[in-house]
Amino acid sequence: MTPPPARRYTGSMTDPESDSPRPGADAPAPVPATPPASATRTTYAVLGLFAAAMLFGLWGVWRAMDGPGGATGAQLAAGQARIEALEQEVATLTRSDQISREANRDLQGTLAERDEEISALRADVAFYERFVGSTAQRRGLAVHELVLTPQTDQAWHYTVTLTQNLNRGAVSSGRLVLAVEGTRDGQLEQLDWAALRQQPDAPGVEYSFKYFQQVEGEIVLPPGFQPLRISVRLVPASGAAVEQTLPWGEAAPRATAG
């Protein structure tokens, strides 16, 4: 028996009665499907959004790094200018305060001087009233005040105020001499006018006044001499001499206190 001729299949392996593939027959490898156009557009849109987000993020970082830095620099410059202005203002106010303090000290000094002058004038007025006023007590030639001011360790300046109102309108004239009593090397010693003036036969200081007069001059004490008392002797042109003695410390209170 001759076998039937073999059939040649040009298509898919199908059943002779139907074109369906045979069960169990090997199927050819699947061909990758091409994505639809809508899916491609969606992918591009997502990628575009992602790129835009990245660019926006980078722009924000750049603004965060550059923008605040610039603003801080401007603020620092403005703050520095403000500080300099405040420092200048403080310096001006400090100088103004210093000037005000100096002016205030000068004013206080001037007021103190004026107070001293007023006190001195009031004392002078009281002095004048005491000797010139209608109720003044009548007194003859006298030493009203003696003030000693140190010049050096041995030299002293004296100021003697002489008064009289017994003979109003009459001139009192004469000479004034001083004498100092003290100790030197533990011994009592008295210095007369010539010794105080360091001039043999030194003449007394002349005076001439109606109501009062201040007589001034210099005396010199020898080294090592400690004064205790000072005497003022007035020798008028007519009449008896007048002498007044007072403690050295009373005549030179400031020097004694120092």
Side-chain angles (χ1 to χ4, degrees), residues 68-167:
T72 302
Q75 292 176 356
L76 288 177
Q80 184 64 31
R82 179 60 176 166
I83 290 173
E84 292 177 357
L86 291 175
E87 288 178 348
Q88 181 63 36
E89 183 176 356
V90 169
T92 303
L93 292 176
T94 302
R95 179 56 181 167
S96 176
D97 180 69
Q98 182 181 0
I99 294 174
S100 299
R101 289 176 182 272
E102 292 176 356
N104 185 52
R105 283 195 298 268
D106 294 340
L107 178 60
Q108 293 296 329
T110 302
L111 291 176
E113 293 176 358
R114 295 296 179 268
D115 289 341
E116 292 181 359
E117 292 177 0
I118 292 173
S119 299
L121 291 174
R122 287 176 177 173
D124 291 343
V125 171
F127 175 80
Y128 299 149
E129 289 179 349
R130 185 166 61 252
F131 290 98
V132 183
S134 58
T135 60
Q137 183 180 359
R138 301 290 184 112
R139 297 185 59 184
L141 181 61
V143 177
H144 176 72
E145 186 181 38
L146 169 60
V147 178
L148 294 168
T149 306
Q151 304 298 304
T152 63
D153 292 340
Q154 282 81 43
W156 293 79
H157 180 84
Y158 65 86
T159 303
V160 184
T161 304
L162 306 178
T163 61
Q164 77 87 24
N165 65 348
L166 183 61
N167 299 320

Side-chain angles (χ1 to χ4, degrees), residues 40-255:
T40 303
R41 288 195 297 269
T42 301
T43 301
Y44 287 159
V46 172
L47 291 177
L49 289 175
F50 180 76
M54 288 294 294
L55 290 176
F56 182 78
L58 291 175
W59 177 83
V61 172
W62 177 80
R63 289 289 298 170
M65 294 180 64
D66 182 70
T72 302
Q75 292 176 356
L76 288 177
Q80 184 64 31
R82 179 60 176 166
I83 290 173
E84 292 177 357
L86 291 175
E87 288 178 348
Q88 181 63 36
E89 183 176 356
V90 169
T92 303
L93 292 176
T94 302
R95 179 56 181 167
S96 176
D97 180 69
Q98 182 181 0
I99 294 174
S100 299
R101 289 176 182 272
E102 292 176 356
N104 185 52
R105 283 195 298 268
D106 294 340
L107 178 60
Q108 293 296 329
T110 302
L111 291 176
E113 293 176 358
R114 295 296 179 268
D115 289 341
E116 292 181 359
E117 292 177 0
I118 292 173
S119 299
L121 291 174
R122 287 176 177 173
D124 291 343
V125 171
F127 175 80
Y128 299 149
E129 289 179 349
R130 185 166 61 252
F131 290 98
V132 183
S134 58
T135 60
Q137 183 180 359
R138 301 290 184 112
R139 297 185 59 184
L141 181 61
V143 177
H144 176 72
E145 186 181 38
L146 169 60
V147 178
L148 294 168
T149 306
Q151 304 298 304
T152 63
D153 292 340
Q154 282 81 43
W156 293 79
H157 180 84
Y158 65 86
T159 303
V160 184
T161 304
L162 306 178
T163 61
Q164 77 87 24
N165 65 348
L166 183 61
N167 299 320
R168 294 188 176 183
V171 176
S172 177
S173 60
R175 291 182 178 274
L176 173 148
V177 295
L178 301 177
V180 179
E181 182 181 349
T183 61
R184 181 165 53 169
D185 298 331
Q187 301 294 323
L188 285 174
E189 185 176 349
Q190 185 171 1
L191 304 174
D192 60 11
W193 180 247
L196 294 174
R197 294 291 296 173
Q198 295 184 340
Q199 179 183 353
D201 302 327
V205 181
E206 293 184 358
Y207 65 84
S208 178
F209 63 94
K210 288 184 178 181
Y211 296 104
F212 64 91
Q213 181 182 0
Q214 283 189 334
V215 179
E216 299 181 64
E218 306 287 337
I219 59 174
V220 179
L221 303 179
F225 184 85
Q226 299 296 323
L228 299 175
R229 288 175 293 274
I230 183 169
S231 298
V232 182
R233 182 177 177 83
L234 303 176
V235 183
S238 61
V242 177
E243 186 170 350
Q244 186 172 343
T245 302
L246 64 157
W248 182 272
E250 184 177 332
R254 296 181 181 178

